[in-house]
Amino acid sequence: MALRLLLAVAVAVAVHAPALGVAAGGPELGVNYGQIADNLPSPQAAALLLRALNATKVKLYDADARVLSAFAGSGVDFTVGVPDRLVPRLATDPSAAAAWVSANILPHIPATCITAVTVGNEVLTGSDSAMLRSLLPAMQSLHAALAACNLTSRVAVTTAHSLAVLSSSFPPSSGAFRRDLLPYMTPLLAFLAKTNSPFLINAYPYFAYKADPDRVELNYVLFEANAGVADPATGLHYDNMLHAQVDAVRAAICSANYGKPVEIQVSETGWPSQGDDDEAGATPENAARYNGNLMRLVAQGEGTPAAPGDALQVYVFALFNEDMKPGPASERHYGLFKPDGTPAYDVGVKAPTIAGLNGSGNSTSGAAGGLVVAEGPGGGADGAAPGTGYYTVSAAAHKVQRWRCWESLLAAVLLAMAS
């Protein structure tokens, strides 16, 4: 209980301190916290690393009670996930959805801020037709279970998609969903619009570069200086591929003609720091450039050319390298951090010193001095390291006060004291 109280009080102090690197009124940095590994540190240690990144939104692929409890009172917004294997059952059994909410949501709120639930991951681009038919009913069932607990104004229900849901993505204005998916996508969009839930897309410019490095310009996918491309139908100019991908999704949603617009969020994007011999571009330098420049865009609150006034919410993939992920070597090297807590590459973030962080999952936090993000490789006061593309989340970056989830924070501190 002493550790819980210490963490709660430390977080209380942190929430009152100015947050760094986030433009006032803009979106805040999100990070995917995957755990397909056998050597990761404890959630308490992960919390310190996320604080070093100034990440205030975290996306899980499950509803890990250890993680959600470790972040009680932190003010961090969590998106939790329903695994694919549970989707068919939730679709056919309303009591299963109620039981899932009771077991995975109710024990953690309001102390932990859970703001969304994703039902499955990239279900519509899978090959299981039963899963495709089950997706929307499962989402509706889960929404009804949340409504029964008066939580629908706090917790959105959505699902994440691969870009493979599109039949066309360039030019962005030609974006359209695959015809075979429209019977599922159109009512799903109507559900998102009705419930005011976001449309989540997993977008990886890295895959485009890896597939055709001779024709895809590296600077275009890394958010660096390039001639860019124009959309002949709209005249809009794109200087990076991620924005073009998002606007292709935007065009597809508009052409589906289902109802009012929905917010688009990038639920996954990132760049691997290592890969197999045939995985072009998977280097620490390119990963640092991609994610560093991406952080800069998030901090500036930039929208896409088709929606410049709508700041884009982005979740970087991922917090840690995950050594048990199957597939090519790149799949195990998307982490911003290695499992021992050291940065996988330099994006200008000084990692905190964490005593006993040895991958055992039982480490505890060390001194809090490392929580302040250092000047980056270039030491530029404006947060941009000249000539590197790295982004420094520094004291000179935009500062805003964070007063989020104050009621949750107070509840967590009181709970810790009572215990």
Side-chain angles (χ1 to χ4, degrees):
M1 286 306 148
L3 176 59
R4 175 192 267 181
L5 179 57
L6 177 61
L7 287 172
V9 173
V11 168
V13 174
V15 169
H16 284 284
L20 309 179
V22 182
E28 298 170 70
L29 180 64
V31 176
N32 284 275
Y33 184 177
Q35 300 183 80
I36 305 177
D38 60 4
N39 58 356
L40 298 185
S42 70
Q44 288 83 356
L48 293 180
L49 297 178
L50 286 162
R51 176 61 181 167
L53 290 170
N54 195 43
T56 58
K57 294 180 181 293
V58 174
K59 182 169 162 282
L60 300 177
Y61 292 87
D62 53 20
D64 191 324
R66 298 176 312 120
V67 175
L68 295 174
S69 296
F71 281 80
S74 67
V76 171
D77 289 345
F78 270 87
T79 294
V80 300
V82 174
D84 287 6
R85 59 184 173 79
L86 295 182
V87 171
R89 184 178 178 191
L90 264 62
T92 58
D93 184 0
S95 67
W100 192 91
V101 169
S102 178
N104 296 284
I105 302 294
L106 296 184
H108 302 290
I109 56 173
T112 302
C113 297
I114 299 174
T115 59
V117 178
T118 57
V119 179
N121 187 52
E122 299 186 353
V123 171
L124 291 187
T125 45
S127 57
D128 188 334
S129 59
M131 283 283 288
L132 268 66
R133 293 191 298 270
S134 297
L135 180 59
L136 180 56
M139 294 170 65
Q140 293 169 328
S141 182
L142 189 61
H143 183 267
L146 289 167
C149 301
N150 296 317
L151 290 175
T152 51
S153 62
R154 175 181 296 183
V155 184
V157 176
T158 185
T159 187
H161 305 280
S162 148
L163 275 175
V165 296
L166 300 181
S167 60
S168 173
S169 62
F170 192 83
S173 60
S174 72
F177 293 117
R178 287 165 32 187
R179 284 184 177 271
D180 62 311
L181 294 182
L182 281 175
Y184 308 105
M185 186 64 76
T186 302
L188 190 151
L189 287 168
F191 169 83
L192 296 179
K194 181 179 179 179
T195 60
N196 197 31
S197 301
F199 185 97
L200 304 185
I201 189 70
N202 298 338
Y204 288 89
Y206 165 71
F207 292 149
Y209 180 78
K210 172 187 171 181
D212 197 355
D214 293 331
R215 297 180 60 188
V216 177
E217 185 180 355
L218 185 59
N219 281 359
Y220 179 64
V221 294
L222 293 180
F223 307 99
E224 299 198 338
N226 65 93
V229 297
D231 187 321
T234 63
L236 294 174
H237 184 268
Y238 290 85
D239 59 13
N240 70 80
M241 183 177 285
L242 181 67
H243 280 177
Q245 291 176 335
V246 171
D247 277 352
V249 172
R250 194 183 312 278
I253 291 174
C254 290
S255 66
N257 192 29
Y258 67 93
K260 68 179 184 179
V262 297
E263 178 191 4
I264 300 171
Q265 295 184 5
V266 178
S267 43
E268 288 183 21
T269 193
W271 196 284
S273 59
Q274 185 176 324
D276 292 323
D277 291 342
D278 62 348
E279 294 191 282
T283 67
E285 294 77 17
N286 287 340
R289 291 162 69 190
Y290 183 86
N291 284 324
N293 288 327
L294 177 66
M295 291 180 188
R296 175 180 54 80
L297 288 179
V298 171
Q300 293 175 348
E302 291 192 10
T304 66
D310 297 336
L312 187 62
Q313 178 64 57
V314 175
Y315 288 81
V316 177
F317 186 87
L319 183 58
F320 293 112
N321 285 338
E322 298 173 74
D323 68 338
M324 296 179 68
K325 292 196 72 174
S330 61
E331 288 293 325
R332 295 176 287 283
H333 293 90
Y334 273 91
L336 297 170
F337 292 98
K338 299 176 183 178
D340 65 1
T342 60
Y345 44 82
D346 190 356
V347 289
V349 172
K350 179 180 178 182
T353 300
I354 304 175
L357 200 154
N358 57 9
S360 67
N362 297 314
S363 58
T364 56
S365 61
L371 294 182
V372 178
V373 181
E375 287 191 1
D382 62 354
T388 66
Y390 295 165
Y391 176 62
T392 305
V393 187
S394 70
H398 301 288
K399 297 182 179 180
V400 294
Q401 293 286 347
R402 292 183 63 242
W403 301 99
R404 311 190 58 199
C405 293
W406 172 248
E407 298 89 352
S408 300
L409 174 61
L410 181 59
V413 173
L414 292 175
L415 176 63
M417 294 176 66
S419 302

